[in-house]
């Protein structure tokens, strides 16, 4: 099945309006790591604060037809210990990843390149390396595989 929808960066001014839908999806994405509640709450708070101080972005994946948000995830850009500019994707929550995984990866590659990033970094179950285009497992953190792709 091919993906028929959009992958959209949510303007910070609209985050509050969409929060009843995207908030629970982001929370499910954070909880997928299996961390204790305090770690999840801190990550959730950091991501939300980051949206409003322009250090994090919230993205939604919508489908055509009756408009519906299928998934939500967060991104942030930072410089890592190896002095690489990294686009990190995290807190992915939603449904239908087999349909939009490749288009979402392609969109993140475009966004990362436009922002001058060297690396796309994500976290998830090891099987996600087969869903995300050209992502390779480079390690593990907590209960998740670390996925990376050079840009």
């Amino acid at each position: 099945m091919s993906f028929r929808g959009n992958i959209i960066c949510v303007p910070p001014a609209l985050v509050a309006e969409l929060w009843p839908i995207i908030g629970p999806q982001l929370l499910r994405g954070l909880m997928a790591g299996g961390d204790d509640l305090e770690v999840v709450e801190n990550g959730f708070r950091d991501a939300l604060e980051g949206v409003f101080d322009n250090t994090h972005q919230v993205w939604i994946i919508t489908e055509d037809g009756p408009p519906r948000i299928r998934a939500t995830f967060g991104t942030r850009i930072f410089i890592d210990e190896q002095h690489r500019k990294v686009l990190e994707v995290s807190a992915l929550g939603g449904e239908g990843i087999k349909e939009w995984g490749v288009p979402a990866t392609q969109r993140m590659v475009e966004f990362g390149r436009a922002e001058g990033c060297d690396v796309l970094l994500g976290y998830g179950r090891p099987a996600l390396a087969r869903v995300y285009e050209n992502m390779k497992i480079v390690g593990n953190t907590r209960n998740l595989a670390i996925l990376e792709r050079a840009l």
Side-chain angles (χ1 to χ4, degrees), residues 24-26 28-29 69-73 91-97 100:
Q25 288 181 335
L26 287 170
R28 277 195 303 278
I69 297 174
R70 302 217 33 214
T72 304
F73 62 92
L92 172 64
E95 61 183 39
I97 194 167
W100 49 257

Side-chain angles (χ1 to χ4, degrees), residues 28-90:
R28 277 195 303 278
L30 284 167
M31 293 175 67
D35 287 320
D36 63 38
L37 188 56
E38 183 178 346
V39 172
V40 169
E41 287 174 348
N42 289 338
F44 198 58
R45 183 176 44 254
D46 291 347
L48 186 56
E49 289 172 1
V51 168
F52 293 106
D53 69 15
N54 290 319
T55 60
H56 293 68
Q57 302 79 37
V58 174
W59 296 78
I60 57 174
I61 298 172
T62 64
E63 69 180 12
D64 289 344
R68 176 167 91 95
I69 297 174
R70 302 217 33 214
T72 304
F73 62 92
T75 57
R76 72 179 178 120
I77 296 173
F78 67 96
I79 305 297
D80 70 5
E81 312 81 40
Q82 300 166 2
H83 307 288
R84 303 178 303 175
K85 191 172 183 182
V86 177
L87 172 59
E88 178 185 54
V89 177
S90 63

Side-chain angles (χ1 to χ4, degrees), residues 12-34:
L14 291 179
V15 169
E17 183 178 333
L18 295 174
W19 194 251
I21 299 166
I22 65 176
Q25 288 181 335
L26 287 170
L27 185 58
R28 277 195 303 278
L30 284 167
M31 293 175 67

